[in-house]
């Protein structure tokens, strides 16, 4: 089967049981798993100091593995963006290594896209997705399997009913040849104004976040709106925004829905929700930086990027 | 004495007792207090919908008051930045109205500076500063009094010992004619990349925040670093960063101090801490957009802007 290299570019692994379960599961799926020497290192909140994590990323790029998979996200990549080994990662991708991850990993993915245009994969992390106490999600596993055997060609999902209504006037929408990009909203917003945000025009932008109250999400989406990022896209896809604490008696109707409604009133770019991606078990894999087509018809949405080349 | 206009440009006032205490205190200080008709309105989290708050800001500008003081911060200004009555506010400031506030109000202050160059005042809010159950802070009151009688010429503070050490090689530093600007770090970062962040070069940038874990603060400071904002300043002043929850057993030494140490290793711009400003009772008033001089000698720091003109 495939060779998978596990490394820790961001936060320290605290749930070592989940880490071990994840490795075991990948092996049970028939994969060879190589664990980076510093995958379980810890320095403050980080999986080793900056130099340690930069070296780990370099080893992942040099591994020759089919997949370089992050142990977890957390926090740690934005502060080492200027020192990332962009050339080595890009070379590894050209040779066939797929870099997979999410959340804080968005920083590396977008910086790489900005610097070299190379494609990485927004997808699972070892601990949270493969190391679950329950069985890993079947759709996530199927998408991961498709990536490994080269048969991943696209991802589809059913729009929530409210969303299908929001676009009822457009029975069929076809987006041609758009750059798919995005990831974690907080991390993406922290790159605005820096050289590490790719200047994607006419793209399809996907976003997710975890543990952020809707007022924070709205402030961040407003930043993208006022910076002209949303208007410059052909479509915006909202994935999961979860694990935040509403403030009863304070929000009084202010919610994810009111945020989405407000945003739709401020940009002509269509905003679709329900993308199965984010800090949830059911997640598809999405090629960040790849040219995609997108079709929305009724409640069916499909992103298609064709065969890997 | 002075005429003070109270209005609500952002979050709804929930603590009405504090609001009433604040009004009473201002009156007891001898001021005339005018309360905007919609100061206590509520719409979701906001003090009225967008149009209501925009109209309230317009009335504050038209009030002819000596001070237009926000009832509170919260959240609500970033999403109405494109519609703010910049000309009316600027005209009011030219006629002598000082706009005072903090936190979410940073959005209006920086957008106004970017659009028209007008000076506003980073300072207290009605509820949290004048409406306290205990007596309001004496330094805050003295600074507010100085602003009202036109004798506010500068603000000084004592650097924390650790900070004096960080700059021990520079026994005296004098910054000449720099634009003072800044405010709430989260709000300021949400303006990066938009037309509402003033492009200040060679300035003195002050920052504060509340309820943000150091890893979030570091990510935001990193954004300012990578966007070139920190390197472009002559000095960075850190005020209060408080009311966040450390994560015991997870942070393991990652703290405000480690964030400051790291930042100092990444920029040559001197970073001074201990500025008495933020979500704390003891706060000075700072003119956002004014040209200031700054002197640091030993543990004494002084910002001086001279007489009001």
């Amino acid at each position: 089967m495939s060779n998978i290299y596990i490394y820790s570019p961001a936060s320290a692994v605290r749930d070592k049981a989940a880490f071990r379960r994840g490795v075991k599961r990948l092996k049970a799926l028939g994969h060879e798993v190589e664990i980076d020497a510093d995958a379980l290192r810890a320095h403050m909140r980080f999986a080793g100091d900056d130099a340690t994590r930069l070296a780990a990323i370099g080893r992942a790029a040099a591994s020759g593995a089919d997949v370089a998979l992050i142990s977890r996200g957390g926090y740690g990549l934005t502060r080492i963006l200027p020192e990332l080994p962009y050339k080595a990662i890009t070379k590894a991708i050209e040779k066939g290594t797929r870099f997979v991850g999410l959340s804080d990993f968005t920083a590396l993915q977008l910086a790489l896209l900005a610097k070299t245009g190379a494609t990485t994969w927004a997808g699972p992390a070892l601990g949270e997705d493969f190391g679950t106490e329950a069985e890993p999600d079947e759709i996530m596993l199927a998408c991961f399997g498709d990536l490994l055997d080269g048969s991943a060609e696209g991802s589809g999902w059913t729009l929530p009913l409210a969303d299908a209504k929001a676009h009822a006037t457009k029975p069929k929408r076809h987006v041609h040849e758009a750059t798919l990009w995005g990831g974690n909203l907080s991390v993406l917003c922290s790159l605005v104004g820096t050289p590490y945000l790719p200047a994607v025009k006419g793209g399809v932008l996907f976003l997710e976040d975890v543990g952020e109250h809707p007022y924070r999400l709205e402030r961040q989406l407003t930043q993208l709106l006022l910076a002209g990022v949303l208007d410059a896209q052909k479509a915006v896809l909202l994935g999961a925004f979860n694990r935040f604490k509403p403030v009863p008696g304070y929000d009084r109707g202010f919610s994810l829905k009111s945020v989405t409604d407000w945003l739709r009133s401020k940009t002509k770019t269509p905003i679709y929700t329900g993308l199965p991606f984010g800090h949830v078990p059911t997640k598809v894999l999405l090629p960040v930086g790849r040219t995609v087509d997108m079709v929305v018809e009724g409640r069916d949405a499909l992103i298609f990027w064709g065969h890997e080349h």
Side-chain angles (χ1 to χ4, degrees), chain A:
Chain A
M1 296 288 283
S2 299
N3 187 290
I4 299 173
Y5 193 90
I6 306 293
Y7 68 114
S8 299
S11 277
V13 172
R14 301 293 188 211
D15 188 346
K16 285 171 187 160
F19 182 95
R20 285 190 295 266
R21 277 195 301 267
V23 171
K24 210 172 166 182
R25 286 239 174 75
L26 288 174
K27 286 181 176 171
L29 288 165
H31 304 303
E32 280 179 24
V33 179
E34 189 175 350
I35 298 172
D36 184 78
D38 288 328
L40 294 175
R41 278 279 284 273
H43 171 74
M44 297 181 179
R45 295 175 72 86
F46 307 106
D49 62 17
D50 291 353
T52 298
R53 285 176 290 119
L54 283 164
I57 294 166
R59 286 190 297 269
S63 69
D66 298 304
V67 169
L69 181 67
I70 63 167
S71 62
R72 62 165 301 196
Y75 166 69
L77 275 165
T78 49
R79 60 183 251 157
I80 54 174
L81 287 180
E83 292 87 28
L84 282 186
Y86 294 102
K87 281 185 190 170
I89 299 171
T90 303
K91 214 170 179 179
I93 291 169
E94 284 165 2
K95 286 185 178 173
T97 301
R98 292 89 153 193
F99 281 77
V100 179
L102 80 168
S103 201
D104 183 74
F105 192 62
T106 300
L108 182 148
Q109 297 185 280
L110 296 183
L112 190 72
L113 180 58
K115 292 281 175 192
T116 77
T119 295
T120 55
W121 293 81
L126 177 74
E128 198 163 317
D129 291 295
F130 293 99
T132 45
E133 292 198 37
E135 282 301 305
D137 180 77
E138 285 186 16
I139 289 173
M140 182 279 291
L141 283 180
C143 291
F144 192 69
D146 288 351
L147 175 69
L148 288 174
D149 69 20
S151 66
E153 295 188 352
S155 284
W157 74 101
T158 304
L159 295 174
L161 191 56
D163 225 40
K165 275 182 189 163
H167 297 284
T169 51
K170 295 165 192 103
K172 184 165 181 172
R173 176 183 288 268
H174 201 143
V175 172
H176 288 281
E177 298 194 356
T179 301
L180 182 66
W181 68 299
N184 182 269
L185 176 61
S186 295
V187 174
L188 189 149
C189 279
S190 77
L191 302 181
V192 174
T194 79
Y196 305 100
L197 188 79
V200 179
K201 307 285 176 196
V204 171
L205 172 64
F206 69 93
L207 299 166
E208 63 84 23
D209 218 323
V210 63
E212 303 286 341
H213 189 281
Y215 94 84
R216 287 176 180 272
L217 300 172
E218 184 177 277
R219 192 165 63 190
Q220 292 176 318
L221 291 164
T222 298
Q223 179 171 21
L224 298 183
L225 178 74
L226 298 180
V229 173
L230 300 188
D231 287 346
Q233 309 307 315
K234 288 182 182 161
V236 173
L237 316 181
L238 302 183
F241 293 86
N242 56 344
R243 292 189 216 160
F244 61 83
K245 282 183 197 160
V247 189
Y250 194 94
D251 291 332
R252 300 192 186 177
F254 185 84
S255 63
L256 272 176
K257 188 186 172 307
S258 65
V259 172
T260 311
D261 289 348
W262 180 77
L263 203 64
R264 283 187 172 131
S265 78
K266 293 291 174 181
T267 180
K268 286 180 181 169
T269 303
I271 296 169
Y272 302 102
T273 64
L275 177 74
F277 187 73
H279 289 73
V280 285
T282 302
K283 52 168 73 81
V284 295
L285 272 110
L286 298 166
V288 174
R290 184 73 74 87
T291 301
V292 302
D293 276 19
M294 182 175 163
V295 179
V296 179
E297 190 168 13
R299 292 183 61 189
D300 296 321
L302 177 70
I303 304 170
F304 185 78
W305 53 84
H307 280 88
E308 264 196 274
H309 26 226

